[in-house]
Amino acid sequence: MPLGNLTSQFFANVYLNELDQYVKHKLRAKYYIRYVDDFVILHENKEKLEEWKQLINLFLKEKLKIELHPSKSHVLRLDSGINFLGFRIFFNHRLLRKSNLKSFERKFNHLKILFDEGILKREKVVESLEGWLNYAIHGNTYKYRNYIIKEFNKFFPLKDEKIRNKKKHYNFMQKVKESELQFAVQKTLFNYKNGLSIKEIAIKQGVKESTVWGHLINLIEHKQISVWEVLPREKICKILSKIYSRKDRLRDIKKRLKDESITYDEIDCVMASVKAKKKKSYVRNSQ
């Protein structure tokens, strides 16, 4: 059965359900995640993981007639990064594996050749690149995605060809525009997590401080950063006490506070955290 085929993925999940039951109910591993034949188990005790590795391999041989890949099954520290689903995952960030980058670059160069020779239309290149961007966005790849989009615009100009699926092409071009904003916001998150102040981030990224505040507000609302990481506890509590509804206008909250040391940006950050909580409760109630 070919790899990547949806049927093969389905049967792999059915077949490896026995492994899931064994790991969760026999070994009682608390932190276990599997995607098809790729799985990770987390535990604070190295000896325990070594023991589980041997037991799992024995179980796979006896019950499922398969075994762990000898060169791909390791017990590693989290700070050294874990290879999973094409990414190298660390505590606070995810990187694309070098082998994946090289594979994509080979494919990208092949697309350039086909396009230059007139064998491939720009529309087909768009479809291919869109799939890659949707995958790469799950890692800390804003610089690389920005570079790829620039390369796309450079090597795949819009010629006098008829676009058959105008809606799909339009949606892709919208994603290109949106990605520029995503790159900037994720860049702010990266710099803020690395200890830079708002003023330092603004200087480094060549933007206004208000723009950086806007990025932080966006990140808070989408739960990529906590408001408690951005503002002092005292200010957050004071602002929260003057928010009566998530529909409150910032200027009304500002009037209630009667504190000139608290800015509109700070109020907006707290409002973003309130909206984030409301979104979470809405999803829970709708289930």
Side-chain angles (χ1 to χ4, degrees), residues 261-272:
S261 68
I262 297 178
T263 67
Y264 281 103
D265 289 322
E266 291 171 330
I267 297 171
D268 213 355
C269 281
V270 178
M271 280 296 292

Side-chain angles (χ1 to χ4, degrees), residues 88-129:
R88 192 157 182 81
I89 302 173
F90 296 85
F91 279 110
N92 297 315
H93 64 287
R94 292 185 295 271
L95 302 177
L96 279 168
R97 294 180 63 183
K98 290 183 180 179
S99 58
N100 272 19
L101 290 175
K102 288 180 180 178
S103 176
F104 170 72
E105 286 169 3
R106 284 195 298 269
K107 183 177 180 180
F108 192 77
N109 289 330
H110 184 60
L111 291 174
K112 284 195 289 185
I113 293 170
L114 295 178
F115 180 77
D116 289 340
E117 293 180 355
I119 300 172
L120 198 66
K121 298 292 185 182
R122 189 177 192 265
E123 189 174 1
K124 290 296 181 182
V125 179
V126 164
E127 290 178 9
S128 179
L129 188 59

Side-chain angles (χ1 to χ4, degrees), residues 165-175 177:
N165 193 330
K166 292 183 179 181
K167 184 176 180 181
K168 182 173 252 186
H169 194 274
Y170 172 78
N171 288 339
F172 174 75
M173 296 315 295
Q174 287 298 110
K175 283 188 178 181
K177 292 178 182 178

Side-chain angles (χ1 to χ4, degrees), residues 32-161:
Y32 165 74
I33 181 171
R34 179 180 65 80
Y35 183 83
V36 190
D37 63 342
D38 203 357
F39 69 91
V40 174
I41 302 176
L42 303 177
H43 199 277
E44 66 272 11
N45 189 301
K46 181 181 179 181
E47 287 70 28
K48 175 62 72 174
L49 288 171
E50 292 286 3
E51 178 189 344
W52 284 351
K53 180 182 174 184
Q54 298 302 321
L55 290 172
I56 288 170
N57 203 32
L58 183 63
F59 173 83
L60 291 174
K61 285 181 180 179
E62 292 181 349
K63 299 293 183 180
L64 302 179
K65 309 306 178 186
I66 55 177
E67 58 185 300
L68 296 176
H69 196 294
S71 64
K72 294 182 179 179
S73 305
H74 306 287
V75 175
L76 302 168
R77 288 175 56 88
L78 278 175
D79 54 14
S80 65
I82 296 174
N83 291 329
F84 190 61
L85 303 182
F87 293 94
R88 192 157 182 81
I89 302 173
F90 296 85
F91 279 110
N92 297 315
H93 64 287
R94 292 185 295 271
L95 302 177
L96 279 168
R97 294 180 63 183
K98 290 183 180 179
S99 58
N100 272 19
L101 290 175
K102 288 180 180 178
S103 176
F104 170 72
E105 286 169 3
R106 284 195 298 269
K107 183 177 180 180
F108 192 77
N109 289 330
H110 184 60
L111 291 174
K112 284 195 289 185
I113 293 170
L114 295 178
F115 180 77
D116 289 340
E117 293 180 355
I119 300 172
L120 198 66
K121 298 292 185 182
R122 189 177 192 265
E123 189 174 1
K124 290 296 181 182
V125 179
V126 164
E127 290 178 9
S128 179
L129 188 59
E130 185 177 27
W132 169 257
L133 290 175
N134 287 335
Y135 168 72
I137 200 171
H138 294 290
N140 296 81
T141 56
Y142 63 88
K143 284 186 179 179
Y144 187 74
R145 284 182 283 127
N146 195 21
Y147 163 74
I148 290 299
I149 286 172
K150 287 179 180 177
E151 290 290 289
F152 168 79
N153 290 329
K154 177 181 176 182
F155 291 105
F156 300 94
L158 187 59
K159 299 178 180 179
D160 296 330
E161 62 182 63

